[in-house]
Amino acid sequence: MIKKFFTKALTAFFVAIIAIIQYAYAQPDTLWTRTYGGSEQDKGYSVQQTTDGGFIISGVYDYGSSNASVFLIKTDSYGDTIWTKIYGENGSPAYGNCVKQSNDSGYVIVGNLAPLNSDEGYDLWIIKPDGSPVRCLTCKNAQVPQLHNGQPAWHPNGRYIITDGQPEDQKPFTDGTNVVRLIDIEAGTSRNVVRIRNTPPFLGKRREFRVDIHPAWDRSFRWVALNACPDNTRRVYVADLSSEVL
């Protein structure tokens, strides 16, 4: 009886293992595909699911001849376009590298909205689809370093954004380190809250092994997770910012 029970249990165990392996390697079914843009070489750089179940997409609307604008597309959960917005003037190079939704139906975009900013860097822009004026958080602000900004992440109180520096920065650091910045929207200030090495020993021919810090809040919005490689090994680190966020 014990032997028979053991045999059945062992058989069930292996069947379960096989089922798990099959599930893990199963190819997901495509629910839908959509194509957005015009006749030129438009590009999509970032997509995020929004609180209504749809998606927000940022990228480049290409006019041809190296002229482009920031392309922002809002869709429903099936990918059908609800609205599109184009920011920047034809004749100036502009691009939206990353987009994140805020808690007041707005969005923060990392990119260049030439000719609105003159430093040609990756600035943080607050954009609302209701027609409100576009607001730059990092342009020509003596309290904010005029450097390239990376992946932004909103704090739920709407006051703070964390972002990281980018390798394109002309940083004052020469030791391969970079920073996590905490931007206070109300005060219009920025402060480096983390400085850590993120330059790997070998970048690759196309910088395919680069390590971007890409900070992100945890669910309690006290901790921030980030990528770095201070000992030449890529790792994930956690920083406690509870004392920094009011």
Side-chain angles (χ1 to χ4, degrees):
M1 186 70 177
I2 295 177
K3 181 179 180 181
K4 189 178 295 186
F5 174 80
F6 176 78
T7 302
K8 289 182 179 180
L10 192 61
T11 302
F13 172 77
F14 280 113
V15 169
I17 291 296
I18 292 172
I20 291 172
I21 292 174
Q22 289 177 336
Y23 177 80
Y25 285 92
Q27 294 298 315
D29 294 329
T30 299
L31 298 180
W32 48 261
T33 61
R34 298 288 187 272
T35 301
Y36 310 98
S39 59
E40 298 294 337
Q41 298 184 36
D42 303 325
K43 300 179 179 68
Y45 287 139
S46 176
V47 61
Q48 183 195 28
Q49 189 167 27
T50 50
T51 54
D52 61 1
F55 299 91
I56 187 72
I57 306 165
S58 70
V60 171
Y61 185 87
D62 191 354
Y63 295 101
S65 301
S66 300
N67 299 324
S69 293
V70 172
F71 202 11
L72 197 63
I73 306 167
K74 179 68 178 73
T75 77
D76 61 16
S77 59
Y78 297 99
D80 295 324
T81 301
I82 297 176
W83 50 257
T84 61
K85 303 287 184 182
I86 297 175
Y87 301 92
E89 295 182 5
N90 186 2
S92 300
Y95 39 84
N97 283 358
C98 180
V99 62
K100 295 293 179 65
Q101 186 178 27
S102 69
N103 60 351
D104 62 352
S105 301
Y107 303 93
V108 58
I109 288 181
V110 175
N112 184 307
L113 268 70
L116 297 180
N117 60 326
S118 58
D119 58 7
E120 298 185 355
Y122 303 153
D123 284 301
L124 296 180
W125 300 83
I126 301 293
I127 290 178
K128 295 186 178 181
D130 61 4
S132 302
V134 176
R135 177 187 174 193
C136 183
L137 297 178
T138 53
C139 300
K140 302 175 183 177
N141 184 345
Q143 301 296 319
V144 178
Q146 299 301 292
L147 302 172
H148 288 74
N149 294 279
Q151 298 281 332
W154 286 91
H155 192 277
N157 65 13
R159 177 171 177 173
Y160 300 101
I161 294 177
I162 53 168
T163 182
D164 59 341
Q166 293 291 285
E168 293 84 354
D169 283 345
Q170 299 299 316
K171 300 185 294 294
F173 313 130
T174 58
D175 56 359
T177 61
N178 212 322
V179 296
V180 174
R181 302 186 184 110
L182 180 69
I183 297 177
D184 186 331
I185 298 173
E186 291 183 9
T189 59
S190 172
R191 205 159 71 80
N192 295 341
V193 291
V194 175
R195 176 182 169 187
I196 193 168
R197 180 180 174 84
N198 71 318
T199 304
F202 177 69
L203 282 172
K205 293 182 178 180
R206 300 181 180 178
R207 300 178 62 85
E208 62 269 28
F209 299 118
R210 62 182 274 186
V211 178
D212 291 326
I213 292 180
H214 287 184
W217 297 102
D218 78 321
R219 292 182 180 179
S220 70
F221 294 96
R222 168 185 176 179
W223 304 90
V224 168
L226 56 105
N227 303 304
C229 56
D231 55 358
N232 293 331
T233 300
R234 179 171 184 157
R235 303 180 190 278
V236 176
Y237 293 83
V238 176
D240 184 354
L241 298 189
S242 58
S243 63
E244 305 289 341
V245 180
L246 301 179

